[in-house]
Amino acid sequence: MSADKGELDLNGAKQNTGVWLVKLPKYLAQQWAKATGKGEVGKLRIAKNQGKTEVSFTLNEELASIQDIGGKPAPSFVTAPREHPFQLQSVGGQTLTVFTESLTGQPEEKSENRTTDKLAIEGIVVQRAECRAAASEHYMQMKRRQIEESSKPKRQSQQIERAVTINYKPVSNHQNNIEYERKKKDEGKRARADKQQVLDMLFSAFEKHQYYNLKDLVDITKQPVLYLKEILKDIGVYNVKGTHKNTWELRPEYRHYQGEEKND
């Protein structure tokens, strides 16, 4: 029976095809991917020894050469181990099945953008195994180099002998950050004066002009902005529109303050 689009092909299950589920070391899978020609990667041996099944894999000699470790060129003396005995494991009463799928869409598209055209059962797992490298000098050299590369810092300092000419040179601090820190420092230096002293300074200023923006009042009183705003809210009105937008003026009851005091 062949499957139409969206159906499951059960031919593999009907034929009772048995497959092995084998766990491989990462480096071995990487070496297999380098195979050329017919794609032969090595030889698999299955033998009986005193009634016990023994399985081993021998990697082809031309695939034993390791070109890189951790993304960096490997020394010429580092080679992958060739002998790999299998450690057989029980399926454990589980029913494990191997599926294959055919995807429609362009190969360069992401898998989530492609749809499954055909799903088929290739077989049922009858044996689990773990492929391990035999203890050897080649294996120890390879693992030693992997550990050395993984322990190296990813970023290292490098001394340069001449200045590097680039369009944008790095600076220790940007101008806007310097301005912000300066203003913040100036704000911190401004100690709060007695409220009555601040009021006297404000009334004296408003005798000269009717309208002031906040920045000018800060310069006149030398007070922190938040503290000055609290006092201005008690005696002043903030204009949000009109000709004198964004300025402060005294409330009507405080206007001509000094003159009224003299009349008394």
Side-chain angles (χ1 to χ4, degrees), residues 36 168 177 202 207 232:
T36 58
Y168 300 97
N177 292 336
L202 290 174
E207 283 183 354
L232 284 171

Side-chain angles (χ1 to χ4, degrees), residues 10-20 96-98 121-127:
L10 301 175
N11 283 334
K14 284 190 173 184
Q15 295 172 5
N16 198 24
T17 304
V19 296
W20 283 32
L96 302 176
T97 308
V98 177
I121 294 180
E122 295 298 325
I124 299 174
V125 176
V126 296
Q127 181 66 62

Side-chain angles (χ1 to χ4, degrees), residues 44-211:
L44 184 68
R45 294 185 178 86
I46 302 177
K48 290 283 187 179
N49 185 9
Q50 298 179 353
K52 184 179 179 181
T53 303
E54 293 182 350
V55 183
S56 63
F57 170 76
T58 302
L59 182 66
N60 276 354
E61 186 174 359
E62 59 268 22
L63 294 179
S65 176
I66 295 182
Q67 303 298 325
D68 64 84
I69 295 178
K72 298 181 179 179
S76 58
F77 60 83
V78 177
T79 58
R82 297 187 61 198
E83 299 300 326
H84 298 79
F86 278 30
Q87 182 179 2
L88 302 181
Q89 302 171 352
S90 170
V91 177
Q94 294 178 308
T95 301
L96 302 176
T97 308
V98 177
F99 292 88
T100 58
E101 63 177 356
S102 303
L103 299 177
T104 58
Q106 297 299 322
E108 62 272 11
E109 292 180 354
K110 295 182 179 180
S111 57
E112 59 265 23
N113 296 331
R114 303 172 67 187
T115 58
T116 301
D117 184 57
K118 181 180 179 181
L119 189 64
I121 294 180
E122 295 298 325
I124 299 174
V125 176
V126 296
Q127 181 66 62
R128 297 179 64 178
E130 185 173 353
C131 178
R132 295 181 175 179
S136 64
E137 183 63 25
H138 292 303
Y139 178 71
M140 298 307 296
Q141 287 179 351
M142 182 189 68
K143 295 303 293 182
R144 189 182 303 114
R145 292 294 299 180
Q146 287 178 339
I147 294 173
E148 289 174 356
E149 291 299 328
S150 62
S151 62
K152 288 182 180 179
K154 294 183 179 180
R155 295 184 178 183
Q156 295 180 337
S157 60
Q158 182 179 0
Q159 183 177 357
I160 57 176
E161 298 179 356
R162 57 188 180 85
V164 179
T165 304
I166 55 177
N167 293 332
Y168 300 97
K169 292 185 178 181
V171 294
S172 58
N173 202 354
H174 292 281
Q175 186 62 33
N176 58 339
N177 292 336
I178 295 174
E179 289 293 329
Y180 173 77
E181 292 296 332
R182 183 185 61 79
K183 290 180 180 179
K184 187 177 179 182
K185 189 175 181 180
D186 291 342
E187 286 286 336
K189 288 181 177 179
R190 290 174 180 163
R192 291 190 177 191
D194 181 73
K195 184 176 180 180
Q196 187 58 49
Q197 292 179 346
V198 179
L199 287 171
D200 290 343
M201 287 187 285
L202 290 174
F203 286 133
S204 177
F206 280 110
E207 283 183 354
K208 300 175 183 177
H209 300 285
Q210 183 177 355
Y211 304 100

Side-chain angles (χ1 to χ4, degrees), residues 231-259:
I231 298 176
L232 284 171
K233 288 178 181 177
D234 292 337
I235 65 170
V237 177
Y238 185 69
N239 298 304
V240 295
K241 59 183 179 179
T243 308
H244 302 286
K245 183 179 179 181
N246 299 331
T247 61
W248 287 88
E249 66 174 319
L250 290 178
R251 289 183 180 178
E253 60 267 31
Y254 291 112
R255 293 171 190 171
H256 311 295
Y257 174 83
Q258 295 292 346

